[in-house]
Amino acid sequence: EDFSPFDVNVVTDRSVFEATPRNRRMMCIFTPTDTAQPGSGGVAFLDSFSWNADDPCWGYNIGDGKQAGDIGLHEVGHTMGLEHDGRGATEYYEGHGSWGPIMGFSLGKPIAQWSLGEYSNASKYQNDLLIIAGNQNNFGFVPDDHGDTTNTATELEADGSGAVNASQNTGIVRTRDDIDLFSFLAEAGEATFTFNPHDVHPNLDIQARLLDTNGSEVVASNPTGLGASLTANLTPGLYFLEVQGAGSGTVDTGYSDYASLGQYSISGHYSVQTPQN
């Protein structure tokens, strides 16, 4: 999920890895031994992702899948050019509240994000997202999947009864400036929508809005937690659902919208407008 904003594949299929050019791939090996770097949680060569070689990085698997995943992210981050996120004299910042920086020590935090060094007394101010998606790594951000204006909105998928299925209405918030819009035609009646981030270790804190045909806000939602929901009594007409990433608290108690990114789905129900002959 941490790599979902980027135009890369994350796989465990060796054949897919082997079919990719050497300067566009990186293998992270998970092992309970620490032979390559005794006493550490993992090891990697800095900037090695684009090397025309197969020098892997290593994650020493401790604890559960979340912890192993964060170690792997950290080490692959090094191969893409990222250095440690510390605070003051501490080399690995463990974060605060529910948040931790991936390039620090995020294993104990439910929300682990790429960082800009926005928190107080940060030791590094690397723009993690732009470095990962930079030219040196031979890939960028995933293509934008939904328009950000009412003229380019994606039509919301619903059945004849107005049921909106989460599996049919999905997207990715890929940058802090990415806004996704969905359009739908409604008859008079109550409409309700639920917006959920990815169900496995999400990073996206969703801010959702319902807009009228002129693009004016009808109702908005950005509650505590990562999901959002909207309910409104509608008059007949054209409406839009807007999805974007949001922050929580301050950069010293929570996080900004910088890396509030990732996959989401929309479900719900509204009264479908019947086409006129």
Side-chain angles (χ1 to χ4, degrees), residues 26 33 98 106-107 125-126 129 142 215 218 232 241 253:
M26 174 55 58
T33 65
S98 62
S106 61
L107 276 63
Y125 301 97
Q126 284 188 305
L129 298 173
V142 69
V218 177
L241 295 176
T253 62

Side-chain angles (χ1 to χ4, degrees), residues 30-242:
F30 292 90
T31 172
T33 65
D34 62 357
T35 305
Q37 187 71 23
S40 69
V43 68
F45 289 112
L46 188 65
D47 294 317
S48 58
F49 184 87
S50 60
W51 292 357
N52 191 27
D54 278 332
D55 293 304
C57 61
W58 301 78
Y60 304 137
N61 195 348
I62 57 173
D64 59 20
K66 164 66 164 61
Q67 294 176 334
D70 281 8
I71 291 171
L73 283 166
H74 181 107
E75 300 307 334
V76 172
H78 280 316
T79 74
M80 294 178 174
L82 304 185
E83 300 177 4
H84 289 150
D85 285 326
R87 189 175 194 183
T90 302
E91 184 176 4
Y92 301 91
Y93 182 45
E94 295 186 10
H96 46 258
S98 62
W99 179 89
I102 291 169
M103 297 311 296
F105 189 84
S106 61
L107 276 63
K109 302 298 183 181
I111 300 175
Q113 294 180 342
W114 306 112
S115 175
L116 190 60
E118 295 170 299
Y119 52 86
S120 298
N121 205 22
S123 63
K124 284 287 189 302
Y125 301 97
Q126 284 188 305
N127 191 326
D128 287 1
L129 298 173
L130 292 187
I131 291 173
I132 292 172
N135 291 335
Q136 70 169 3
N137 291 320
N138 298 310
F139 66 87
F141 292 100
V142 69
D144 196 4
D145 50 0
H146 302 291
D148 59 0
T149 68
T150 56
N151 291 328
T152 59
T154 298
E155 184 175 350
L156 193 69
E157 295 284 344
D159 65 19
S161 68
V164 178
N165 191 304
S167 66
Q168 296 176 306
N169 296 278
T170 62
I172 298 174
V173 176
R174 62 191 193 124
T175 69
R176 71 191 316 175
D177 299 319
D178 188 17
I179 297 173
D180 289 354
L181 283 178
F182 297 80
S183 64
F184 65 98
L185 282 167
E187 291 285 11
E190 184 178 84
T192 181
F193 301 99
T194 299
F195 305 80
N196 285 316
H198 195 268
D199 58 352
V200 181
H201 306 308
N203 296 311
L204 176 62
D205 189 336
I206 297 173
Q207 175 179 296
R209 296 200 302 159
L210 175 65
L211 311 177
D212 65 17
T213 188
N214 298 314
S216 299
E217 181 180 299
V218 177
V219 63
S221 175
N222 182 22
T224 300
L226 301 184
S229 61
L230 298 170
T231 299
N233 287 310
L234 305 181
T235 57
L238 176 65
Y239 293 89
F240 301 91
L241 295 176
E242 179 190 270

Side-chain angles (χ1 to χ4, degrees), residues 1-20:
E1 179 62 6
D2 295 273
F3 282 115
S4 63
F6 306 104
D7 194 14
V8 293
N9 291 329
V10 180
V11 300
T12 56
D13 186 334
R14 181 64 178 262
S15 65
V16 176
F17 175 82
E18 296 289 357
T20 305

